[in-house]
Amino acid sequence: MKCMRCRKEFAESELVELDNRRLCEDCYMDVVSPLKACDPWAVHSAKSGLESGRPQLLPLQEKMLEEIKKRGRVKPAELAEILGAELGELEKNFAILRHMELLRGCQGDDRQVYWTLFAA
Ligand SMILES: [Zn+2]
């Protein structure tokens, strides 16, 4: 079976299901790490350092940040729908924003993966 993200071949038992997609462990960790419980309240109380001194972002990255700031946290598939963008495209940009320590993945009470502000 193929991982739906990196397209490499894996045994079925090695793949993890996420948002109806089968991912290898590497891709899964990439999408969800660091896996930390979501705390939507922390988002609201967290001081937003996003305004000052951050590097130039792509319009799509700005929109992702904007939406996630507004909602506190959002499922990747939902965000794709909201922004009318492809999930794969968002994931690529999410990885960049995560490296910039602006966004991170977390796990909600429903055990689903959400994206939230890094500072949250
Ligand atoms: Zn993979």
Side-chain angles (χ1 to χ4, degrees), residues 11-116:
E12 188 174 354
S13 60
E14 286 180 285
L15 296 177
V16 197
E17 203 168 309
L18 176 73
D19 285 340
N20 300 319
R21 294 177 306 155
R22 291 185 170 275
L23 302 177
C24 70
E25 203 171 329
D26 276 355
C27 289
Y28 182 80
M29 287 316 289
D30 218 30
V31 174
V32 303
S33 70
L35 204 57
K36 223 171 121 186
C38 289
D39 184 356
W41 296 109
V43 179
H44 296 295
S45 54
K47 275 209 185 109
S48 166
L50 297 179
E51 251 63 62
S52 56
R54 75 174 142 91
Q56 194 73 37
L57 299 176
L58 297 173
L60 180 62
Q61 295 169 348
E62 295 276 6
K63 275 196 249 172
M64 289 170 71
L65 275 179
E66 192 100 335
E67 246 355 277
I68 291 171
K69 211 160 33 163
K70 221 164 28 182
R71 288 158 196 272
R73 61 176 195 180
V74 67
K75 283 183 206 167
E78 264 174 43
L79 190 61
E81 215 167 289
I82 294 163
L83 298 180
E86 279 190 33
L87 188 55
E89 194 62 28
L90 289 189
E91 279 172 347
K92 229 165 43 191
N93 285 290
F94 172 76
I96 296 165
L97 291 169
R98 184 155 61 80
H99 283 297
M100 294 164 85
E101 304 200 333
L102 292 172
L103 292 180
R104 63 180 174 84
C106 67
Q107 192 178 41
D109 313 329
D110 51 6
R111 305 192 60 80
Q112 299 275 317
V113 172
Y114 289 83
W115 290 346
T116 189

